[in-house]
Amino acid sequence: MKYLLLVYIDPELLEKVPAEEYDAEMRHCIRHALSLAERGTLVGFNKLEDPEQARTVRVREGRTTVFDGPFAETKEVLAGYNLVEADSMEEAVELARQFPWARYGSMEVRPVADMDAERVRVGA
């Protein structure tokens, strides 16, 4: 089963990390991700640009509104993701724990829905 490991970062915590330490954490993260990819566990991963570059699109009653940045009011911001293959939620949580970013925010582990089953269900 696929799980999405959403990386949320508290920018205030991350700002306190010296540049050399951040670079070391990023090197560790990238090397770990590549190792997981070689094993077939990691399907995809990416770092997201800062929230200031984001736009939130909302359509209500046929009207489209575009907001600057993420719409949610929260201290932590979505900073990246890892798409993994795991046999259970417990295994996916363990994979999330191995990335350094939970120390600077949190990692949300969410099962990915089977879109082939959904396509069949709705007749698409």
Side-chain angles (χ1 to χ4, degrees):
M1 179 162 195
K2 287 187 177 82
Y3 293 86
L4 192 59
L5 313 180
L6 296 165
V7 180
Y8 288 92
I9 296 297
D10 180 337
E12 291 179 15
L13 283 177
L14 207 55
E15 285 174 10
K16 296 176 185 175
V17 177
E20 309 80 44
E21 185 178 335
Y22 173 82
D23 289 349
E25 295 281 34
M26 185 57 77
R27 273 191 304 278
H28 166 74
C29 180
I30 292 169
R31 289 175 182 152
H32 181 60
L34 293 174
S35 170
L36 290 174
E38 287 173 0
R39 293 189 342 224
T41 301
L42 186 67
V43 178
F45 69 100
N46 254 314
K47 176 180 183 260
L48 300 177
E49 294 293 346
D50 291 334
E52 294 79 23
Q53 297 184 41
R55 300 296 177 268
T56 297
V57 179
R58 179 169 281 163
V59 178
R60 297 292 186 272
E61 298 177 6
R63 254 187 55 202
T64 301
T65 307
V66 179
F67 300 92
D68 289 342
F71 189 73
E73 295 290 330
T74 179
K75 185 175 184 179
E76 293 180 350
V77 297
L78 183 61
Y81 68 89
N82 299 278
L83 181 61
V84 299
E85 289 274 359
D87 292 331
S88 66
M89 174 62 85
E90 292 75 22
E91 182 183 354
V93 167
E94 176 57 26
L95 290 168
R97 188 194 66 73
Q98 295 172 12
F99 286 94
W101 309 119
R103 292 192 299 272
Y104 306 102
S106 62
M107 299 280 289
E108 178 183 342
V109 179
R110 190 179 299 186
V112 175
D114 181 344
M115 286 307 293
D116 288 332
E118 188 71 3
R119 179 185 54 78
V120 169
R121 186 186 75 76
V122 301

